[in-house]
Amino acid sequence: MPDAEAPRLLCVETYEHKPLSYMTEQAAAGLAELVRTAVFVPTTTRTREQYRRVRLPGPAPRFAVCANGGELLVHGESDPAWRARVDRALADGCAPLTEVRARLLRTADPAWLLKERTAEDLFAYLVVDRALLPKTWVEDLTEWADTRGWSVSLQGRKLYTVPKPLTKSAAVAEIVRRTGAREVLAAGDSLLDADLLLAADRAWRPGHGELAETGWSAPHVNVLEERGVLAGEAIVGAFARAAADGGRIPANGHAQQPASP
């Protein structure tokens, strides 16, 4: 948009001494109010360490979901019983992380591979040069992973391989059980958010991200035209209006960032 029309931004994440993630000041004000009137649950594929870099406005959330549902934080601390439950599900439901990681390292081309990481001993991801990453390589990996109970998601420069039993919706369902919430409101933009959006009573999908690129939707999912921080602002506003009568549990699948060029 023209510079004169650009919203004022609040930095909510700093990484290596540089500002990284933002939300509009209006979204920040709305979120600060929302967390006082509803159970707001930051829900992310980030590791616990990566999540703790994000400083959202308002009181610290009582619950947070990290590692795509593998870690359930209560007052900032991991719930060991939940992690044990996740580990049991993964042991019975899919190929081990070591097998998937070995495939990634064996087949990735140094010409486009920038970094390789594992997250919380639960899943693996690559940081890639998106312009050089062959589409056929991603397609072959997706087919191979699917037969072993894993999913593949390409988000910007990161390519995730995640066990199918590892879901955000399962962790949020546990929080619903603990809080007795009557309705779940959710938002997200990636393939790894889809299970959460489908499980929610009402959901929102922004105009950017993996789900928008594929045209993904569902009958109860509101498709927004807004992208980046403006989508974040619209989602916070929608959450606030929907939760105005109380008893709701908004879950957010991503930290708000400006859309990349």
Side-chain angles (χ1 to χ4, degrees):
M1 63 180 65
D3 291 347
E5 298 177 17
R8 284 164 54 96
L9 299 178
L10 173 69
C11 177
V12 294
E13 180 183 13
T14 301
Y15 180 58
E16 295 183 343
H17 312 293
K18 298 177 182 179
L20 181 63
S21 300
Y22 305 83
M23 61 196 319
T24 68
E25 289 187 342
Q26 182 173 332
L31 183 58
E33 180 60 28
L34 179 67
V35 299
R36 292 181 173 88
T37 59
V39 182
F40 175 70
V41 183
T43 305
T44 179
T45 307
R46 290 168 176 254
T47 64
R48 288 169 292 174
E49 179 182 357
Q50 292 167 337
Y51 164 70
R52 287 169 178 147
R53 294 199 308 253
V54 180
R55 295 185 296 171
L56 297 173
R62 177 184 172 192
F63 296 102
V65 174
C66 296
N68 211 63
E71 293 286 353
L72 174 57
L73 305 187
V74 183
H75 298 299
E77 300 297 327
S78 294
D79 184 322
W82 176 255
R83 178 57 191 259
R85 177 174 162 183
V86 168
D87 288 341
R88 288 193 299 269
L90 298 187
D92 296 335
C94 57
L97 172 61
T98 52
E99 179 181 348
V100 176
R101 187 184 183 198
R103 160 80 183 213
L104 293 175
L105 294 175
R106 185 174 66 252
T107 61
D109 189 334
W112 46 259
L113 176 61
L114 303 178
K115 296 179 183 178
E116 180 271 337
R117 297 285 187 271
T118 59
E120 308 281 12
D121 294 323
L122 291 168
F123 60 91
Y125 66 93
L126 307 179
V127 181
V128 302
D129 185 331
R130 184 74 176 261
L132 299 179
L133 178 66
K135 182 180 179 181
T136 54
W137 187 88
V138 178
E139 292 172 346
D140 290 344
L141 175 65
T142 300
E143 182 177 352
W144 178 89
D146 183 64
T147 63
R148 288 157 177 81
W150 285 64
S151 297
V152 175
S153 175
L154 182 59
Q155 303 176 35
R157 298 193 309 153
K158 290 185 178 180
L159 184 141
Y160 293 92
T161 53
V162 179
K164 291 183 179 179
L166 186 66
T167 65
K168 294 171 181 170
S169 60
V172 170
E174 173 64 13
I175 296 171
V176 169
R177 185 188 69 80
R178 297 186 189 190
T179 61
R182 297 194 303 270
E183 186 173 16
V184 174
L185 315 172
D189 63 3
S190 83
L191 178 63
L192 296 176
D193 295 326
D195 71 282
L196 176 61
L197 302 187
L198 290 173
D201 297 290
R202 281 188 280 175
W204 287 260
R205 190 213 79 189
H208 66 259
E210 192 177 25
L211 295 180
E213 291 171 1
T214 60
W216 183 95
S217 189
H220 67 293
V221 175
N222 298 277
V223 176
L224 303 177
E225 294 183 0
E226 292 91 344
R227 299 166 53 89
V229 290
L230 294 184
E233 185 177 290
I235 288 166
V236 170
F239 277 178
R241 289 189 295 274
D245 57 353
R248 315 247 172 126
I249 175 169
N252 186 8
H254 61 290
Q256 306 306 332
Q257 301 186 29
S260 300

